[in-house]
Amino acid sequence: MKTALILLVVTLSLSYVFGQKDPHFADGRNTIVHLFEWHWDDIANECENYLGPKGYAGVQVSPPSENTVIGNRPWWERYQPISYALTTRSGDENSFANMVQRCNNAGVRIYVDAVFNQMSATSGGGTAGNSADVGNLQYPAVPFGPGDFHSRCEVNNYQDPNNIRNCWLVGLPDLDQSSEYVRGKIVDYLNHLVDLGVTGFRVDAAKHMWPADLQAIYGSVKDVSVGGRPFYFQEVIDMGGEAVKKTEYNSFGTVLEFKFGTELGNAFQGNNPIHYLKNWGPEWGLLDGSDAVAFIDNHDNQRHGSGAILTYKNPKPYKMAIAFMLAHPYGTTRIMSSFYFDDADAGPPGYGPGFNDDGSCTNGWVCEHRWRQISNMVGFRNAVAGTQISNWWDNGDQQIAFGRGDKGFIAFTLNGDINQNLQTSLPAGTYCDIISGNLENGSCTGKSVNVDGSGQASINLSNGDEDGMVAIHVNAKL
Ligand SMILES: *[C@@H]1O[C@H](CO)[C@@H](O)[C@H](O)[C@H]1NC(C)=O
Ligand SMILES: *[C@@H]1O[C@H](CO)[C@@H](O)[C@H](O)[C@H]1NC(C)=O
């Protein structure tokens, strides 16, 4: 009896924490798109008009909590909260609630970028009409006061976990999440968002908070409306060599795997032959895929990343790296959707996106998620769900190809042309290459690929083509 009870408790608590790694995607969908700095009303429209129909599973939204209004309105003011009121330049609480409902109805989940490591380092008025007095550590609209923060010191020693977790990151007042009062305010904020229908949280600066405090906070948040625990994906930048490890965080949530985009960015820029990707996954020092959110770039490292980070500014290898990510079974995948910038501090365009006839965006928005090669690869990932890698082929250098069971096949070249038959496990027929075109009205607007009765695909891919890959799947068969 006692043993059975203990087993029951262990099983329940295990399903509890494993549940926090489940993004609760609707059936037949995959991939979160970060609609960085989009307005809530525009996101609601995008869920209905584009993301839902194209098979996307979710949106990461910019922080909805009130921030200090800072000078020329840099993007990073959103990471300087002064209260948990839900009014920002993206919209107010009504438009937020409306967005979540409309996106959920379109089969697209909303994940909130939750900022609670810190409060604003800038005094003054906020986006919801509240104010803060940073010199006296007064944030009356929460309220937080001096006793709710770690005493001031700068995060400057990445070999010391106490310095990383208890000091102030870039001068931002550092909340003490070991305090029951502070935890309670954070949990109230997250519960409010759950009540409005959000499915999970990207946890900003998780590396700068103690795992035990985060575990306690996450465990106190209620179940989400689509059923089960909230999904947590945590910002823990661990490239090796520092005191804080991503493996301190992956037992109670997933972790944003920063090595993923660094290694793929390096490979698809030609610095590491892509045939080595044959064993892509934990053998490369990555977390297990079930513990990881995979991405090529994010809003920080597209501005301040090393040369290894690919972005919209280098489109050919960027699209290849994203196609590899979406074709490979590893992890829960996330796409960055940006606004154009030269100045790394610049805030978003003053207007939301409009759309050209070809579906691309106007008004300064890049909309990588609408690029044919990217959105069609989301369709590929949906088509091949549940299969593993099969029929790996490479030329020992910069050309690779692989299948996903009897559902899909993709080939890449970074150097030289491919004009040969490659073995697949696909049914015979003619397939539309979803990289160079779309399957529309029963015909393909790009290249077609023939697969013969023995599964041999005739692949023609030139190094000089606009894109360095060809991809076919069973849902785009002629
Ligand atoms: C395309 O590839 C096939 C082999 O699959 C080859 O026989 C054919 O010559 C190639 N076509 C061109 C235009 O190179
Ligand atoms: C497909 O059909 C629609 C509706 O008739 C039409 O607007 C569109 O141009 C067609 N696309 C192609 C590639 O023929």
Side-chain angles (χ1 to χ4, degrees), residues 35-36 66 117 152 156 226 270 292 351 359 386 399 415 423 434:
L35 294 180
F36 180 51
E66 179 180 19
N117 169 63
R152 180 160 193 152
N156 57 15
V226 296
Y351 295 93
Q399 299 178 351
N415 189 13
Q423 184 66 51
I434 53 123

Side-chain angles (χ1 to χ4, degrees), residues 438-445:
N438 297 309
L439 182 61
E440 279 179 32
N441 307 335
S443 63
C444 186
T445 62

Side-chain angles (χ1 to χ4, degrees), residues 131-451:
S131 62
D133 171 2
V134 177
N136 293 307
L137 289 178
Q138 291 295 340
Y139 301 84
V142 180
F144 283 140
D148 301 318
F149 294 86
H150 291 122
S151 48
R152 180 160 193 152
C153 52
E154 301 307 323
V155 172
N156 57 15
N157 179 2
Y158 280 87
Q159 300 308 321
D160 174 6
N162 293 297
N163 176 271
I164 296 168
R165 268 80 169 249
N166 294 344
C167 290
W168 294 21
L169 180 63
V170 294
L172 295 159
D174 196 65
L175 285 167
D176 176 5
Q177 291 86 7
S178 71
S179 145
E180 281 303 324
Y181 175 79
V182 171
R183 283 183 188 176
K185 288 297 176 190
I186 295 168
V187 170
D188 287 350
Y189 169 51
L190 302 182
N191 274 336
H192 183 194
L193 294 167
V194 168
D195 286 339
L196 297 177
V198 313
T199 303
F201 304 98
R202 178 242 179 212
V203 180
D204 184 63
K207 172 182 184 171
H208 298 280
M209 295 184 270
W210 292 97
D213 294 340
L214 291 178
Q215 195 168 0
I217 290 166
Y218 301 169
S220 302
V221 177
K222 51 176 86 165
D223 283 357
V224 294
S225 60
V226 296
R229 303 296 304 142
F231 178 56
Y232 294 96
F233 52 118
Q234 306 169 93
E235 188 197 16
V236 181
I237 304 173
D238 176 8
M239 303 300 295
E242 292 180 4
V244 169
K245 307 285 182 219
K246 58 195 173 190
T247 48
E248 296 172 63
Y249 293 83
N250 64 338
S251 65
F252 50 87
T254 64
V255 172
L256 284 154
E257 179 49 274
F258 280 79
K259 253 188 133 147
F260 187 97
T262 305
E263 294 287 4
L264 286 189
N266 194 40
F268 282 99
Q269 288 179 85
N271 299 326
N272 193 13
I274 59 175
H275 78 93
Y276 287 128
L277 296 173
K278 187 172 185 179
N279 66 349
W280 181 242
E283 288 180 50
W284 285 66
L286 305 181
L287 289 167
D288 190 84
S290 62
D291 291 346
V293 167
F295 61 101
I296 300 301
D297 64 327
N298 75 2
H299 67 281
D300 281 319
N301 67 16
Q302 71 174 187
R303 291 173 169 71
H304 301 293
S306 72
I309 301 300
L310 284 167
T311 73
Y312 75 85
K313 296 188 184 209
N314 197 356
K316 188 171 180 180
Y318 184 57
K319 286 179 282 184
M320 292 177 79
I322 290 177
F324 182 87
M325 171 176 82
L326 293 172
H328 195 284
Y330 181 91
T332 296
T333 46
R334 185 183 67 181
I335 300 291
M336 178 70 204
S337 189
S338 316
F339 55 82
Y340 292 98
F341 67 91
D342 293 312
D343 171 2
D345 291 327
Y351 295 93
F355 304 100
N356 296 309
D357 287 345
D358 66 359
S360 61
C361 290
T362 62
N363 294 347
W365 301 89
V366 186
C367 292
E368 295 92 321
H369 70 284
R370 280 177 168 251
W371 293 3
R372 179 189 65 241
Q373 300 86 343
I374 294 176
S375 62
N376 281 354
M377 282 305 299
V378 170
F380 180 104
R381 194 172 184 81
N382 284 326
V384 304
T387 65
Q388 291 305 310
I389 287 183
S390 56
N391 301 105
W392 178 275
W393 169 89
D394 64 63
N395 72 342
D397 192 15
Q398 296 285 27
Q399 299 178 351
I400 61 173
F402 59 91
R404 292 290 302 274
D406 59 359
K407 303 293 191 210
F409 193 79
I410 190 165
F412 297 84
T413 180
L414 265 184
N415 189 13
D417 299 348
I418 303 179
N419 289 301
Q420 67 184 86
N421 288 333
L422 294 177
Q423 184 66 51
T424 77
S425 301
L426 289 169
T430 303
Y431 293 80
C432 184
D433 166 32
I434 53 123
I435 300 298
S436 57
N438 297 309
L439 182 61
E440 279 179 32
N441 307 335
S443 63
C444 186
T445 62
K447 297 184 203 170
S448 294
V449 175
N450 289 310
V451 175

